[in-house]
Amino acid sequence: MKKNDTVMRKLLLDCVKKWSNNIRVRFPDSIIFRLVGTDFAEIEMIIGRNRNNKPSVTANMQSDASAFEGWALVLKASIVELKKLTLTWDEPLDKNDKHYQRFLYRVEKFSVIFQSWFYVGQSYRKALRIKLGSKYKVNVPIKKRDQSYLKSTADNERKLEQQMINDSVCRQWLKEKVGGSMIGNQLPVGVFDGNVAKGNAIFTGQASAIDLWGVNEEGDELSIFELKLPSNKKVGIVSELFFYSMVMGDIINGRFSFEGKRCMEVDPWPPDYIRVGKIKKIKAFILTTATHCLINDNVLKILNDALSPKFVFLRSDPSECSLHIKNKEAL
DNA sequence: ACGCTGTGCAAAATAGGATG
DNA sequence: CATCCTATTTTGCACAGCGT
């Protein structure tokens, strides 16, 4: 990093520290932050490469080094003078890398939503395989999740997710958030060009899924939840929920559609509930007891002001309902 | 100099889905 | 339908920067 970049980075980081009241926050090593002029009106953000020289845009979106949405919103929230934020990045050799395609899709959505202050060059459109006016397929669950790991004593996210589904107190708590009586887990978000098959995958498939989801009684409101253990605090949770929301948005507007054989074990079955023309609103929940210190209500407000009323981003603490599970297990 | 805590990498776990 | 491969996610560990 150039000497001047280091100076500017520190200036910006000081703003963020003051704003968040947390002196320990840091920016990811591989993102360069640069002031364009002599004040804070214009900032350039460059997604660079990790220590192995791999472009961070090919990393999982939940790793902070590739989570541009969170950092952009944090800068917007903490620097009142900011008028223009420009995003650029080091390109990977393989333009079809599934993480990179997901990154480009997020860039396209984010830059349209925040066009009054967020800028990105247009050349990325050539590389993005999701084209305006074309239709794409989304995969469906292939089988019911094996529950044997519930017996494990380890604390992990999957286990908590399954417990939230199985436990009556947690289910009730989730139902109230959803405003309906059905709760599902593992809603896939793989997007394919043509039929659902390995070679046609544009985004990561397989294990890529929304943790928990539900639809309200009237059938017009979809809720999605991203669950994280307190040990897993990342700015990238914003990228995950943003991406999931946008994919769901493209499903309910008909641009993406579910494809795949119905698995009788899986209930609720996503295509039965997430229907074109029926869902009018998407509620996206950050489901964490402890969240990264920069991801606060001010950040979510910027998202909500821009996306209301079709999307709303919320935070909830799962320990409100899940604390009793551990005690029950001990008996 | 010390203790905290956020960060980044790598190993481990796991499930999709291809294959026979 | 059972098995196997591997893409992807998640966890664990070591390190670095900061204030006291």
Side-chain angles (χ1 to χ4, degrees):
Chain A
M1 202 180 290
K2 289 184 211 145
K3 190 184 165 200
N4 211 14
D5 283 347
T6 314
V7 174
M8 293 192 276
R9 181 189 184 86
K10 195 172 180 319
L11 270 175
L12 287 167
L13 188 57
D14 284 344
C15 293
V16 172
K17 283 179 181 176
K18 223 172 266 166
W19 170 77
S20 65
N21 243 332
N22 188 328
I23 50 163
R24 294 183 206 279
V25 244
R26 273 186 284 155
F27 291 140
D29 283 358
S30 61
I31 302 183
I32 295 170
F33 296 89
R34 212 175 258 170
L35 296 172
V36 176
T38 50
D39 57 7
F40 290 103
E42 195 173 340
I43 297 172
E44 195 182 347
M45 187 161 92
I46 307 166
I47 311 292
R49 293 163 183 271
N50 71 9
R51 287 172 198 169
N52 298 325
N53 210 34
K54 195 182 160 198
S56 294
V57 292
T58 63
N60 193 313
M61 63 183 166
Q62 71 211 49
S63 78
D64 287 350
S66 69
F68 75 90
E69 300 95 325
W71 298 110
L73 292 169
V74 164
L75 290 180
K76 186 64 182 160
S78 58
I79 299 167
V80 283
E81 304 96 314
L82 180 61
K83 293 278 182 296
K84 178 174 179 178
L85 177 67
T86 305
L87 178 75
T88 58
W89 58 90
D90 284 359
E91 288 187 17
L93 279 176
D94 177 12
K95 303 285 188 289
N96 291 336
D97 179 277
K98 299 192 192 78
H99 289 288
Y100 184 49
Q101 287 294 322
R102 209 157 61 159
F103 173 84
L104 294 177
Y105 174 78
R106 286 154 48 211
V107 164
E108 175 166 273
K109 295 291 187 183
F110 199 83
S111 63
V112 169
I113 293 162
F114 296 106
Q115 51 186 296
S116 63
W117 57 272
F118 183 85
Y119 292 82
V120 63
Q122 293 300 299
S123 56
Y124 77 89
R125 286 172 176 276
K126 242 183 285 166
L128 178 59
R129 292 177 65 195
I130 304 277
K131 304 293 183 191
L132 279 171
S134 298
K135 308 247 175 189
Y136 300 89
K137 297 293 181 189
V138 174
N139 56 337
V140 291
I142 208 97
K143 60 185 166 196
K144 195 180 161 86
R145 180 172 265 189
D146 174 19
Q147 309 224 343
S148 56
Y149 56 85
L150 277 173
K151 297 188 195 85
S152 135
T153 51
D155 266 332
N156 64 50
E157 187 192 302
R158 271 172 225 289
K159 190 171 161 184
L160 180 57
E161 177 192 313
Q162 199 64 55
Q163 286 168 332
M164 299 272 304
I165 287 283
N166 294 350
D167 179 83
S168 60
V169 176
C170 291
R171 264 189 95 81
Q172 189 53 40
W173 185 84
L174 285 169
K175 283 177 185 173
E176 276 161 31
K177 305 273 170 215
V178 168
S181 57
M182 53 72 61
I183 303 291
N185 65 332
Q186 293 301 301
L187 174 59
V189 288
V191 174
F192 297 78
D193 185 12
N195 62 317
V196 175
K198 203 175 178 179
N200 292 339
I202 298 178
F203 298 158
T204 61
Q206 305 207 129
S208 305
I210 293 168
D211 291 333
L212 296 159
W213 65 283
V215 170
N216 67 343
E217 215 60 70
E218 296 75 22
D220 59 2
E221 223 177 75
L222 167 67
S223 292
I224 59 179
F225 301 88
E226 178 54 39
L227 180 69
K228 291 271 186 265
L229 290 184
S231 56
N232 189 0
K233 292 187 284 184
K234 286 276 194 311
V235 167
I237 193 168
V238 174
S239 301
E240 289 183 81
L241 261 187
F242 180 75
F243 172 73
Y244 299 150
S245 302
M246 293 303 126
V247 171
M248 290 301 123
D250 274 334
I251 287 180
I252 64 174
N253 70 25
R255 188 186 190 196
F256 297 168
S257 54
F258 287 114
E259 190 210 77
K261 210 173 118 229
R262 187 182 192 114
C263 174
M264 298 317 271
E265 290 177 303
V266 175
D267 180 49
W269 183 245
D272 288 346
Y273 291 91
I274 305 169
R275 315 198 76 123
V276 180
K278 193 91 170 81
I279 304 285
K280 300 278 188 270
K281 182 174 182 177
I282 295 172
K283 297 199 286 186
F285 288 85
I286 292 178
L287 212 54
T288 55
T289 298
T291 315
H292 189 283
C293 59
L294 296 180
I295 304 309
N296 55 34
D297 291 340
N298 296 323
V299 164
L300 296 189
K301 187 176 186 302
I302 300 176
L303 273 173
N304 288 331
D305 286 348
L307 287 165
S308 167
K310 194 172 171 189
F311 298 89
V312 59
F313 290 77
L314 304 151
R315 279 201 298 171
S316 286
D317 179 356
S319 70
E320 285 175 15
C321 69
S322 65
L323 277 177
H324 70 285
I325 292 176
K326 270 212 165 99
N327 305 329
K328 200 163 73 181
E329 276 178 354
L331 292 173

